[in-house]
Amino acid sequence: MSALARLEGRRLFKSKSVLVLFAFLMFSSWRIGTDVDVLDGTAATRSSYYMILTKPETVDAVYAIFGFVDTTWHFHSFVFLIPIVGLLLGYATIVNLRTKGQIRTMLSLPCSRQEILLGMSLGRIAVFVLALVVALAVGWIGITNNFETASVWSYLAFSASTVAYGLAWLSIGIALSVSFSTARRVSMVVTFVIVNVFVGLQSYILGLVGVFPSGMILDPTQAYLVLVAAPHEEMIPKLYQIAVGQVDSFGQGFMSTGMVSLDPPVYFSWPIAGLVLLLWIVCPLLYAWKRIEGMEVDQ
């Protein structure tokens, strides 16, 4: 890692706001892992806005994995929390240097614009990944204290998907950081994107252009949910129900995975979802790499 990346990493760890975000992430992971409960003897399924869980044959950590993406946990849900943390950590990558005039000072040294972007981005990526790994480890400790059985491999698959999901949103934040000349403008766009994470306007837009629900696989959140559910027969994304014509919105749905097609359309398969998340990680960074070449630094 470059010297600039190390300096950026140390600076982030000294930031009280960043530490508060990471502490809340770890607290949320612990709370869900320890507080999510099993289905009682009469209930056969559990449903949230995006996912359905059928009662597993054994008491294991699939309940907690469902809990991490269960939107009834509100801000604690990883579906909402990780985009917020990723965007807030990424959006200031370059714009703060630009508005304070620091980037001109850095360019006076033998350092190109791309090297500045690379160093700042690597520092933030390293810090964010470390925070996610620690939060997921805290969640695992909570799971093992809460449940009788837990699959290490299943949780590792969930953790890998979660890290990829976080990196996608961090990359989006970095791309926004080089797209605007002032922190205020970036903040306004980031606020809109965060609100949209909760509202999901893209489903309505895709419906208007006639590519709903197939186009939803391009949504990083839906790609993440497909990956999370892939190793577990007990978990089915509600998007599958929409694709086979059983419901017409995310707010409605049958409460049993037995009523959902076990063979969703190929565009909702986990390899496609994995590719989509990879593209959300790489493409914004490539855009930022290209954008910074022509970026004005005298503003």
Side-chain angles (χ1 to χ4, degrees), residues 17-59:
S17 58
V18 170
L19 293 178
V20 168
L21 280 175
F22 291 167
F24 187 75
L25 179 62
M26 293 169 197
F27 169 71
S28 298
S29 184
W30 173 261
R31 184 187 176 196
I32 293 173
T34 55
D35 288 354
V36 69
D37 57 352
V38 301
L39 290 165
D40 60 35
T42 58
T45 61
R46 178 173 291 163
S47 179
S48 71
Y49 189 69
Y50 290 124
M51 191 79 76
I52 299 172
L53 172 69
T54 292
K55 189 174 185 178
E57 295 181 359
T58 59
V59 180

mmCIF file of all heavy atoms in Angstrom, residues 17-59:
data_model
loop_
_atom_site.group_PDB
_atom_site.id
_atom_site.type_symbol
_atom_site.label_atom_id
_atom_site.label_comp_id
_atom_site.label_asym_id
_atom_site.label_seq_id
_atom_site.Cartn_x
_atom_site.Cartn_y
_atom_site.Cartn_z
ATOM 1 N N SER A 17 -16.320 10.928 13.555
ATOM 2 C CA SER A 17 -17.527 10.573 12.815
ATOM 3 C C SER A 17 -17.388 9.213 12.155
ATOM 4 O O SER A 17 -18.344 8.420 12.142
ATOM 5 C CB SER A 17 -17.827 11.645 11.757
ATOM 6 O OG SER A 17 -16.736 11.803 10.866
ATOM 7 N N VAL A 18 -16.214 8.924 11.622
ATOM 8 C CA VAL A 18 -15.984 7.612 11.012
ATOM 9 C C VAL A 18 -16.034 6.513 12.062
ATOM 10 O O VAL A 18 -16.648 5.455 11.852
ATOM 11 C CB VAL A 18 -14.630 7.588 10.266
ATOM 12 C CG1 VAL A 18 -14.272 6.170 9.835
ATOM 13 C CG2 VAL A 18 -14.680 8.510 9.055
ATOM 14 N N LEU A 19 -15.426 6.750 13.213
ATOM 15 C CA LEU A 19 -15.445 5.753 14.284
ATOM 16 C C LEU A 19 -16.856 5.515 14.803
ATOM 17 O O LEU A 19 -17.218 4.375 15.145
ATOM 18 C CB LEU A 19 -14.526 6.197 15.420
ATOM 19 C CG LEU A 19 -13.024 6.232 15.095
ATOM 20 C CD1 LEU A 19 -12.227 6.735 16.291
ATOM 21 C CD2 LEU A 19 -12.530 4.850 14.671
ATOM 22 N N VAL A 20 -17.675 6.562 14.840
ATOM 23 C CA VAL A 20 -19.073 6.394 15.264
ATOM 24 C C VAL A 20 -19.822 5.519 14.265
ATOM 25 O O VAL A 20 -20.599 4.638 14.651
ATOM 26 C CB VAL A 20 -19.753 7.770 15.414
ATOM 27 C CG1 VAL A 20 -21.271 7.603 15.555
ATOM 28 C CG2 VAL A 20 -19.203 8.505 16.627
ATOM 29 N N LEU A 21 -19.616 5.747 12.967
ATOM 30 C CA LEU A 21 -20.251 4.915 11.939
ATOM 31 C C LEU A 21 -19.858 3.456 12.102
ATOM 32 O O LEU A 21 -20.707 2.554 12.050
ATOM 33 C CB LEU A 21 -19.858 5.403 10.547
ATOM 34 C CG LEU A 21 -20.578 6.616 9.979
ATOM 35 C CD1 LEU A 21 -19.965 7.011 8.645
ATOM 36 C CD2 LEU A 21 -22.065 6.332 9.804
ATOM 37 N N PHE A 22 -18.562 3.208 12.302
ATOM 38 C CA PHE A 22 -18.090 1.834 12.437
ATOM 39 C C PHE A 22 -18.618 1.194 13.722
ATOM 40 O O PHE A 22 -18.964 0.007 13.734
ATOM 41 C CB PHE A 22 -16.565 1.797 12.411
ATOM 42 C CG PHE A 22 -15.969 2.135 11.066
ATOM 43 C CD1 PHE A 22 -14.622 2.416 10.942
ATOM 44 C CD2 PHE A 22 -16.764 2.174 9.936
ATOM 45 C CE1 PHE A 22 -14.077 2.718 9.696
ATOM 46 C CE2 PHE A 22 -16.226 2.485 8.687
ATOM 47 C CZ PHE A 22 -14.870 2.754 8.576
ATOM 48 N N ALA A 23 -18.678 1.979 14.793
ATOM 49 C CA ALA A 23 -19.203 1.445 16.051
ATOM 50 C C ALA A 23 -20.669 1.051 15.902
ATOM 51 O O ALA A 23 -21.108 0.010 16.407
ATOM 52 C CB ALA A 23 -19.035 2.479 17.163
ATOM 53 N N PHE A 24 -21.439 1.876 15.185
ATOM 54 C CA PHE A 24 -22.847 1.553 14.969
ATOM 55 C C PHE A 24 -22.991 0.308 14.101
ATOM 56 O O PHE A 24 -23.886 -0.513 14.313
ATOM 57 C CB PHE A 24 -23.564 2.731 14.318
ATOM 58 C CG PHE A 24 -25.056 2.543 14.222
ATOM 59 C CD1 PHE A 24 -25.857 2.682 15.346
ATOM 60 C CD2 PHE A 24 -25.654 2.231 13.011
ATOM 61 C CE1 PHE A 24 -27.227 2.508 15.268
ATOM 62 C CE2 PHE A 24 -27.019 2.059 12.923
ATOM 63 C CZ PHE A 24 -27.816 2.195 14.049
ATOM 64 N N LEU A 25 -22.108 0.155 13.124
ATOM 65 C CA LEU A 25 -22.120 -1.040 12.285
ATOM 66 C C LEU A 25 -21.868 -2.289 13.116
ATOM 67 O O LEU A 25 -22.559 -3.309 12.967
ATOM 68 C CB LEU A 25 -21.056 -0.900 11.189
ATOM 69 C CG LEU A 25 -20.893 -2.062 10.203
ATOM 70 C CD1 LEU A 25 -22.174 -2.283 9.408
ATOM 71 C CD2 LEU A 25 -19.726 -1.789 9.262
ATOM 72 N N MET A 26 -20.897 -2.227 14.009
ATOM 73 C CA MET A 26 -20.589 -3.375 14.859
ATOM 74 C C MET A 26 -21.710 -3.648 15.862
ATOM 75 O O MET A 26 -22.066 -4.805 16.119
ATOM 76 C CB MET A 26 -19.261 -3.135 15.585
ATOM 77 C CG MET A 26 -18.071 -3.099 14.645
ATOM 78 S SD MET A 26 -16.560 -2.518 15.447
ATOM 79 C CE MET A 26 -15.562 -2.117 14.003
ATOM 80 N N PHE A 27 -22.275 -2.588 16.421
ATOM 81 C CA PHE A 27 -23.398 -2.749 17.339
ATOM 82 C C PHE A 27 -24.586 -3.402 16.633
ATOM 83 O O PHE A 27 -25.244 -4.283 17.185
ATOM 84 C CB PHE A 27 -23.810 -1.391 17.906
ATOM 85 C CG PHE A 27 -25.118 -1.416 18.648
ATOM 86 C CD1 PHE A 27 -25.232 -2.042 19.886
ATOM 87 C CD2 PHE A 27 -26.248 -0.835 18.098
ATOM 88 C CE1 PHE A 27 -26.446 -2.075 20.562
ATOM 89 C CE2 PHE A 27 -27.469 -0.857 18.760
ATOM 90 C CZ PHE A 27 -27.570 -1.480 19.999
ATOM 91 N N SER A 28 -24.863 -2.972 15.411
ATOM 92 C CA SER A 28 -25.973 -3.543 14.654
ATOM 93 C C SER A 28 -25.737 -5.029 14.386
ATOM 94 O O SER A 28 -26.659 -5.849 14.496
ATOM 95 C CB SER A 28 -26.145 -2.791 13.329
ATOM 96 O OG SER A 28 -26.456 -1.440 13.551
ATOM 97 N N SER A 29 -24.512 -5.378 14.030
ATOM 98 C CA SER A 29 -24.184 -6.776 13.777
ATOM 99 C C SER A 29 -24.373 -7.622 15.033
ATOM 100 O O SER A 29 -24.925 -8.725 14.993
ATOM 101 C CB SER A 29 -22.744 -6.879 13.268
ATOM 102 O OG SER A 29 -22.424 -8.205 12.930
ATOM 103 N N TRP A 30 -23.922 -7.098 16.171
ATOM 104 C CA TRP A 30 -24.086 -7.814 17.439
ATOM 105 C C TRP A 30 -25.553 -7.924 17.817
ATOM 106 O O TRP A 30 -26.017 -8.988 18.239
ATOM 107 C CB TRP A 30 -23.317 -7.104 18.537
ATOM 108 C CG TRP A 30 -23.565 -7.669 19.909
ATOM 109 C CD1 TRP A 30 -24.404 -7.199 20.863
ATOM 110 C CD2 TRP A 30 -22.960 -8.845 20.455
ATOM 111 N NE1 TRP A 30 -24.374 -7.987 21.983
ATOM 112 C CE2 TRP A 30 -23.492 -9.009 21.769
ATOM 113 C CE3 TRP A 30 -22.029 -9.758 19.991
ATOM 114 C CZ2 TRP A 30 -23.119 -10.063 22.590
ATOM 115 C CZ3 TRP A 30 -21.653 -10.813 20.821
ATOM 116 C CH2 TRP A 30 -22.194 -10.954 22.088
ATOM 117 N N ARG A 31 -26.286 -6.848 17.653
ATOM 118 C CA ARG A 31 -27.695 -6.853 18.057
ATOM 119 C C ARG A 31 -28.499 -7.879 17.258
ATOM 120 O O ARG A 31 -29.298 -8.628 17.817
ATOM 121 C CB ARG A 31 -28.296 -5.461 17.861
ATOM 122 C CG ARG A 31 -29.733 -5.380 18.355
ATOM 123 C CD ARG A 31 -30.401 -4.078 18.028
ATOM 124 N NE ARG A 31 -31.793 -4.111 18.443
ATOM 125 C CZ ARG A 31 -32.718 -3.257 18.039
ATOM 126 N NH1 ARG A 31 -32.380 -2.285 17.207
ATOM 127 N NH2 ARG A 31 -33.955 -3.361 18.452
ATOM 128 N N ILE A 32 -28.295 -7.908 15.943
ATOM 129 C CA ILE A 32 -29.043 -8.848 15.123
ATOM 130 C C ILE A 32 -28.623 -10.278 15.437
ATOM 131 O O ILE A 32 -29.469 -11.169 15.586
ATOM 132 C CB ILE A 32 -28.831 -8.533 13.633
ATOM 133 C CG1 ILE A 32 -29.463 -7.184 13.291
ATOM 134 C CG2 ILE A 32 -29.442 -9.625 12.758
ATOM 135 C CD1 ILE A 32 -29.165 -6.696 11.888
ATOM 136 N N GLY A 33 -27.310 -10.514 15.522
ATOM 137 C CA GLY A 33 -26.836 -11.870 15.785
ATOM 138 C C GLY A 33 -27.328 -12.444 17.098
ATOM 139 O O GLY A 33 -27.589 -13.639 17.211
ATOM 140 N N THR A 34 -27.476 -11.582 18.104
ATOM 141 C CA THR A 34 -27.862 -12.073 19.431
ATOM 142 C C THR A 34 -29.359 -11.991 19.692
ATOM 143 O O THR A 34 -29.886 -12.754 20.507
ATOM 144 C CB THR A 34 -27.130 -11.274 20.526
ATOM 145 O OG1 THR A 34 -27.387 -9.870 20.338
ATOM 146 C CG2 THR A 34 -25.628 -11.526 20.476
ATOM 147 N N ASP A 35 -30.060 -11.066 19.016
ATOM 148 C CA ASP A 35 -31.471 -10.839 19.336
ATOM 149 C C ASP A 35 -32.456 -11.511 18.396
ATOM 150 O O ASP A 35 -33.620 -11.695 18.758
ATOM 151 C CB ASP A 35 -31.775 -9.335 19.345
ATOM 152 C CG ASP A 35 -31.170 -8.634 20.549
ATOM 153 O OD1 ASP A 35 -30.616 -9.341 21.417
ATOM 154 O OD2 ASP A 35 -31.223 -7.395 20.616
ATOM 155 N N VAL A 36 -32.047 -11.837 17.162
ATOM 156 C CA VAL A 36 -32.989 -12.477 16.253
ATOM 157 C C VAL A 36 -33.392 -13.832 16.829
ATOM 158 O O VAL A 36 -32.569 -14.562 17.376
ATOM 159 C CB VAL A 36 -32.376 -12.637 14.840
ATOM 160 C CG1 VAL A 36 -31.248 -13.651 14.825
ATOM 161 C CG2 VAL A 36 -33.441 -13.003 13.835
ATOM 162 N N ASP A 37 -34.685 -14.146 16.755
ATOM 163 C CA ASP A 37 -35.169 -15.375 17.359
ATOM 164 C C ASP A 37 -35.662 -16.346 16.297
ATOM 165 O O ASP A 37 -35.822 -16.006 15.124
ATOM 166 C CB ASP A 37 -36.301 -15.080 18.358
ATOM 167 C CG ASP A 37 -37.450 -14.327 17.718
ATOM 168 O OD1 ASP A 37 -37.306 -13.908 16.542
ATOM 169 O OD2 ASP A 37 -38.484 -14.150 18.369
ATOM 170 N N VAL A 38 -35.904 -17.580 16.712
ATOM 171 C CA VAL A 38 -36.348 -18.628 15.800
ATOM 172 C C VAL A 38 -37.859 -18.537 15.630
ATOM 173 O O VAL A 38 -38.559 -17.881 16.415
ATOM 174 C CB VAL A 38 -35.963 -20.019 16.336
ATOM 175 C CG1 VAL A 38 -34.463 -20.132 16.514
ATOM 176 C CG2 VAL A 38 -36.672 -20.318 17.650
ATOM 177 N N LEU A 39 -38.359 -19.195 14.597
ATOM 178 C CA LEU A 39 -39.801 -19.268 14.392
ATOM 179 C C LEU A 39 -40.414 -20.184 15.436
ATOM 180 O O LEU A 39 -39.856 -21.235 15.768
ATOM 181 C CB LEU A 39 -40.101 -19.801 12.986
ATOM 182 C CG LEU A 39 -39.763 -18.841 11.842
ATOM 183 C CD1 LEU A 39 -39.751 -19.584 10.522
ATOM 184 C CD2 LEU A 39 -40.750 -17.703 11.786
ATOM 185 N N ASP A 40 -41.568 -19.785 15.965
ATOM 186 C CA ASP A 40 -42.195 -20.619 16.978
ATOM 187 C C ASP A 40 -42.820 -21.865 16.347
ATOM 188 O O ASP A 40 -42.771 -22.063 15.135
ATOM 189 C CB ASP A 40 -43.240 -19.821 17.767
ATOM 190 C CG ASP A 40 -44.346 -19.279 16.882
ATOM 191 O OD1 ASP A 40 -44.723 -19.962 15.908
ATOM 192 O OD2 ASP A 40 -44.842 -18.169 17.164
ATOM 193 N N GLY A 41 -43.437 -22.669 17.165
ATOM 194 C CA GLY A 41 -43.943 -23.959 16.703
ATOM 195 C C GLY A 41 -45.044 -23.873 15.675
ATOM 196 O O GLY A 41 -45.234 -24.796 14.880
ATOM 197 N N THR A 42 -45.789 -22.778 15.631
ATOM 198 C CA THR A 42 -46.915 -22.682 14.700
ATOM 199 C C THR A 42 -46.556 -21.947 13.413
ATOM 200 O O THR A 42 -47.153 -22.196 12.367
ATOM 201 C CB THR A 42 -48.086 -21.936 15.377
ATOM 202 O OG1 THR A 42 -47.647 -20.641 15.788
ATOM 203 C CG2 THR A 42 -48.566 -22.703 16.598
ATOM 204 N N ALA A 43 -45.596 -21.056 13.479
ATOM 205 C CA ALA A 43 -45.230 -20.277 12.300
ATOM 206 C C ALA A 43 -44.364 -21.110 11.358
ATOM 207 O O ALA A 43 -43.458 -21.816 11.790
ATOM 208 C CB ALA A 43 -44.475 -19.014 12.713
ATOM 209 N N ALA A 44 -44.665 -21.028 10.077
ATOM 210 C CA ALA A 44 -43.908 -21.792 9.085
ATOM 211 C C ALA A 44 -42.923 -20.927 8.317
ATOM 212 O O ALA A 44 -41.945 -21.428 7.769
ATOM 213 C CB ALA A 44 -44.863 -22.469 8.106
ATOM 214 N N THR A 45 -43.188 -19.628 8.252
ATOM 215 C CA THR A 45 -42.334 -18.732 7.487
ATOM 216 C C THR A 45 -42.173 -17.401 8.206
ATOM 217 O O THR A 45 -42.927 -17.069 9.120
ATOM 218 C CB THR A 45 -42.918 -18.437 6.088
ATOM 219 O OG1 THR A 45 -44.187 -17.804 6.238
ATOM 220 C CG2 THR A 45 -43.068 -19.709 5.270
ATOM 221 N N ARG A 46 -41.186 -16.666 7.774
ATOM 222 C CA ARG A 46 -40.978 -15.285 8.226
ATOM 223 C C ARG A 46 -40.689 -14.451 6.978
ATOM 224 O O ARG A 46 -39.946 -14.881 6.092
ATOM 225 C CB ARG A 46 -39.814 -15.215 9.214
ATOM 226 C CG ARG A 46 -39.501 -13.813 9.708
ATOM 227 C CD ARG A 46 -38.457 -13.865 10.820
ATOM 228 N NE ARG A 46 -39.014 -14.467 12.030
ATOM 229 C CZ ARG A 46 -38.275 -14.934 13.037
ATOM 230 N NH1 ARG A 46 -36.969 -14.903 12.963
ATOM 231 N NH2 ARG A 46 -38.853 -15.448 14.094
ATOM 232 N N SER A 47 -41.288 -13.283 6.888
ATOM 233 C CA SER A 47 -41.165 -12.483 5.679
ATOM 234 C C SER A 47 -40.775 -11.057 6.011
ATOM 235 O O SER A 47 -41.200 -10.502 7.021
ATOM 236 C CB SER A 47 -42.497 -12.484 4.915
ATOM 237 O OG SER A 47 -42.418 -11.690 3.753
ATOM 238 N N SER A 48 -39.931 -10.459 5.162
ATOM 239 C CA SER A 48 -39.613 -9.047 5.247
ATOM 240 C C SER A 48 -39.885 -8.428 3.881
ATOM 241 O O SER A 48 -40.415 -9.082 2.983
ATOM 242 C CB SER A 48 -38.155 -8.829 5.669
ATOM 243 O OG SER A 48 -37.273 -9.192 4.625
ATOM 244 N N TYR A 49 -39.523 -7.186 3.713
ATOM 245 C CA TYR A 49 -39.851 -6.479 2.485
ATOM 246 C C TYR A 49 -39.218 -7.127 1.253
ATOM 247 O O TYR A 49 -39.800 -7.150 0.177
ATOM 248 C CB TYR A 49 -39.393 -5.026 2.607
ATOM 249 C CG TYR A 49 -39.867 -4.124 1.501
ATOM 250 C CD1 TYR A 49 -41.215 -3.778 1.382
ATOM 251 C CD2 TYR A 49 -38.973 -3.606 0.570
ATOM 252 C CE1 TYR A 49 -41.658 -2.940 0.367
ATOM 253 C CE2 TYR A 49 -39.401 -2.766 -0.450
ATOM 254 C CZ TYR A 49 -40.743 -2.440 -0.550
ATOM 255 O OH TYR A 49 -41.177 -1.620 -1.564
ATOM 256 N N TYR A 50 -38.004 -7.665 1.402
ATOM 257 C CA TYR A 50 -37.278 -8.210 0.265
ATOM 258 C C TYR A 50 -37.075 -9.725 0.296
ATOM 259 O O TYR A 50 -36.662 -10.299 -0.708
ATOM 260 C CB TYR A 50 -35.883 -7.572 0.174
ATOM 261 C CG TYR A 50 -35.882 -6.134 -0.237
ATOM 262 C CD1 TYR A 50 -35.266 -5.174 0.558
ATOM 263 C CD2 TYR A 50 -36.474 -5.712 -1.422
ATOM 264 C CE1 TYR A 50 -35.240 -3.839 0.178
ATOM 265 C CE2 TYR A 50 -36.456 -4.379 -1.805
ATOM 266 C CZ TYR A 50 -35.834 -3.456 -0.999
ATOM 267 O OH TYR A 50 -35.814 -2.132 -1.378
ATOM 268 N N MET A 51 -37.282 -10.373 1.427
ATOM 269 C CA MET A 51 -36.884 -11.770 1.561
ATOM 270 C C MET A 51 -37.903 -12.568 2.358
ATOM 271 O O MET A 51 -38.593 -12.032 3.217
ATOM 272 C CB MET A 51 -35.513 -11.846 2.248
ATOM 273 C CG MET A 51 -34.853 -13.208 2.217
ATOM 274 S SD MET A 51 -34.059 -13.562 0.632
ATOM 275 C CE MET A 51 -32.583 -12.541 0.766
ATOM 276 N N ILE A 52 -37.981 -13.882 2.059
ATOM 277 C CA ILE A 52 -38.834 -14.807 2.794
ATOM 278 C C ILE A 52 -37.962 -15.932 3.335
ATOM 279 O O ILE A 52 -37.051 -16.415 2.662
ATOM 280 C CB ILE A 52 -39.934 -15.395 1.896
ATOM 281 C CG1 ILE A 52 -40.832 -14.297 1.355
ATOM 282 C CG2 ILE A 52 -40.767 -16.412 2.655
ATOM 283 C CD1 ILE A 52 -41.818 -14.774 0.326
ATOM 284 N N LEU A 53 -38.244 -16.339 4.562
ATOM 285 C CA LEU A 53 -37.515 -17.432 5.210
ATOM 286 C C LEU A 53 -38.494 -18.529 5.617
ATOM 287 O O LEU A 53 -39.467 -18.263 6.324
ATOM 288 C CB LEU A 53 -36.776 -16.920 6.450
ATOM 289 C CG LEU A 53 -36.114 -17.985 7.337
ATOM 290 C CD1 LEU A 53 -34.928 -18.621 6.609
ATOM 291 C CD2 LEU A 53 -35.670 -17.383 8.668
ATOM 292 N N THR A 54 -38.239 -19.744 5.143
ATOM 293 C CA THR A 54 -39.005 -20.899 5.594
ATOM 294 C C THR A 54 -38.300 -21.510 6.801
ATOM 295 O O THR A 54 -37.073 -21.540 6.862
ATOM 296 C CB THR A 54 -39.119 -21.950 4.474
ATOM 297 O OG1 THR A 54 -39.934 -21.418 3.439
ATOM 298 C CG2 THR A 54 -39.769 -23.221 4.984
ATOM 299 N N LYS A 55 -39.062 -22.014 7.739
ATOM 300 C CA LYS A 55 -38.512 -22.572 8.971
ATOM 301 C C LYS A 55 -37.497 -23.674 8.659
ATOM 302 O O LYS A 55 -37.828 -24.681 8.051
ATOM 303 C CB LYS A 55 -39.639 -23.144 9.833
ATOM 304 C CG LYS A 55 -39.195 -23.560 11.222
ATOM 305 C CD LYS A 55 -40.402 -23.965 12.058
ATOM 306 C CE LYS A 55 -39.994 -24.274 13.492
ATOM 307 N NZ LYS A 55 -41.160 -24.631 14.320
ATOM 308 N N PRO A 56 -36.231 -23.484 9.060
ATOM 309 C CA PRO A 56 -35.213 -24.511 8.811
ATOM 310 C C PRO A 56 -35.483 -25.773 9.626
ATOM 311 O O PRO A 56 -36.164 -25.747 10.649
ATOM 312 C CB PRO A 56 -33.914 -23.835 9.259
ATOM 313 C CG PRO A 56 -34.232 -22.369 9.316
ATOM 314 C CD PRO A 56 -35.674 -22.284 9.680
ATOM 315 N N GLU A 57 -34.925 -26.893 9.171
ATOM 316 C CA GLU A 57 -35.106 -28.149 9.888
ATOM 317 C C GLU A 57 -34.346 -28.148 11.208
ATOM 318 O O GLU A 57 -34.735 -28.831 12.153
ATOM 319 C CB GLU A 57 -34.644 -29.316 9.017
ATOM 320 C CG GLU A 57 -35.495 -29.512 7.761
ATOM 321 C CD GLU A 57 -35.023 -30.692 6.944
ATOM 322 O OE1 GLU A 57 -34.029 -31.333 7.341
ATOM 323 O OE2 GLU A 57 -35.643 -30.973 5.897
ATOM 324 N N THR A 58 -33.250 -27.404 11.262
ATOM 325 C CA THR A 58 -32.462 -27.321 12.488
ATOM 326 C C THR A 58 -32.377 -25.879 12.944
ATOM 327 O O THR A 58 -32.566 -24.951 12.163
ATOM 328 C CB THR A 58 -31.034 -27.866 12.282
ATOM 329 O OG1 THR A 58 -30.408 -27.119 11.253
ATOM 330 C CG2 THR A 58 -31.071 -29.332 11.886
ATOM 331 N N VAL A 59 -32.092 -25.699 14.234
ATOM 332 C CA VAL A 59 -31.922 -24.344 14.765
ATOM 333 C C VAL A 59 -30.496 -23.904 14.454
ATOM 334 O O VAL A 59 -29.556 -24.297 15.126
ATOM 335 C CB VAL A 59 -32.186 -24.315 16.279
ATOM 336 C CG1 VAL A 59 -31.992 -22.896 16.814
ATOM 337 C CG2 VAL A 59 -33.583 -24.824 16.588
#
